[in-house]
Amino acid sequence: MLGSRAGGTWILFMLAASAWPAAAAARAADLPEQVRCESQDARRVHCPIDTSRGVVLSRQLSQNACIREADWGVDSRGVWVARGCRAEFRAVPADLSGARHVVRCESRRARVESCPVILRGAPVRLLRELALAPCRRGESWEVGRNEIRVSRGCKGEFEIGDPETGFPPGPRLLECASRDHRRRSCGTTVEREVVLVRQLSSAACVEGVSWGWDAERVWVDEGCRAEFAVE
């Protein structure tokens, strides 16, 4: 009897997991691809936008800084701004995101959290960190049999590849910003290279001086803020 119940639970989990991408796509289709979001009187404001492929800041409108995860950020329902940040945001174009399977997994209050996902041997990589706490494989995130586990405050978007063909080809967009001219790392998985696509700051972004990368992150310094194409 117990085995029958366990089998039924597993079947329900499989059905729910297989239906999730279609439901998520339907929700994303109802959301705008671009939005203007403004924090008035330094208050936090939330603006709906399609976040299924990621979001980038396309044009800053305020004199106040707009630094990701400090003055603005993304959740499953849209983008938020605070501390006087006013800007225009856009969803990452489909030609830069491809048909990607992305899972959001967050460690709240530094606790270990498990995010169920059907892998069947599929590869997993970090697309972007969603908080200041670093996401480092083997330290604050890891992959189980059918789960992604995060800890130590790691909050991230993780991409699930295909068991046979791996990840979709082409770059992914990543924004990284140095606040108050201090060095900052933006966690992601780099397999080939990182190329600066668009400088967003008045401070120069010079590779090897004010920005660079390694296998687990893109880093910026000296006030550099830019969009990068990561492969």
Side-chain angles (χ1 to χ4, degrees), residues 204-216:
C205 293
V206 180
E207 187 171 8
V209 178
S210 54
W211 78 273
W213 57 276
D214 60 31
E216 291 187 303

Side-chain angles (χ1 to χ4, degrees), residues 43-203:
R43 291 178 298 182
R44 182 171 172 133
V45 175
H46 189 276
C47 303
I49 188 175
D50 177 9
T51 63
S52 61
R53 301 188 303 270
V55 173
V56 293
L57 187 154
S58 58
R59 186 162 70 101
Q60 184 170 321
L61 304 171
S62 61
Q63 292 184 341
N64 293 40
C66 288
I67 306 300
R68 185 161 189 159
E69 303 313 327
D71 310 301
W72 73 276
V74 179
D75 58 32
S76 60
R77 300 175 294 110
V79 64
W80 58 263
V81 292
R83 306 204 297 187
C85 169
R86 296 186 295 110
E88 292 178 352
F89 301 90
R90 61 183 171 85
V92 173
D95 58 353
L96 277 178
S97 64
R100 301 189 185 277
H101 179 188
V102 180
V103 172
R104 184 185 182 101
C105 198
E106 301 184 7
S107 165
R108 300 184 183 277
R109 299 180 181 177
R111 294 179 299 191
V112 177
E113 298 287 348
S114 174
C115 300
V117 60
I118 297 175
L119 294 175
R120 298 195 184 101
V124 178
R125 66 184 178 188
L126 174 67
L127 278 185
R128 61 179 61 84
E129 291 172 341
L130 301 175
L132 296 178
C135 293
R136 295 176 181 167
R137 187 159 193 166
E139 295 181 14
S140 54
W141 77 273
E142 59 186 350
V143 179
R145 182 177 179 182
N146 280 299
E147 65 173 345
I148 297 171
R149 289 189 299 271
V150 292
S151 60
R152 302 183 183 181
C154 166
K155 299 179 181 181
E157 291 180 348
F158 299 87
E159 181 178 7
I160 315 301
D162 184 90
E164 302 295 331
T165 60
F167 300 105
R172 304 102 62 194
L173 275 183
L174 176 73
E175 181 183 323
C176 197
S178 162
R179 185 180 182 89
D180 297 329
H181 288 259
R182 290 180 295 187
R183 185 179 176 116
R184 183 191 174 190
S185 293
C186 299
T188 189
T189 302
V190 181
E191 293 154 339
R192 182 182 173 190
E193 64 177 351
V194 176
V195 176
L196 189 151
V197 175
R198 187 161 66 104
Q199 183 174 310
L200 301 171
S201 59
S202 56

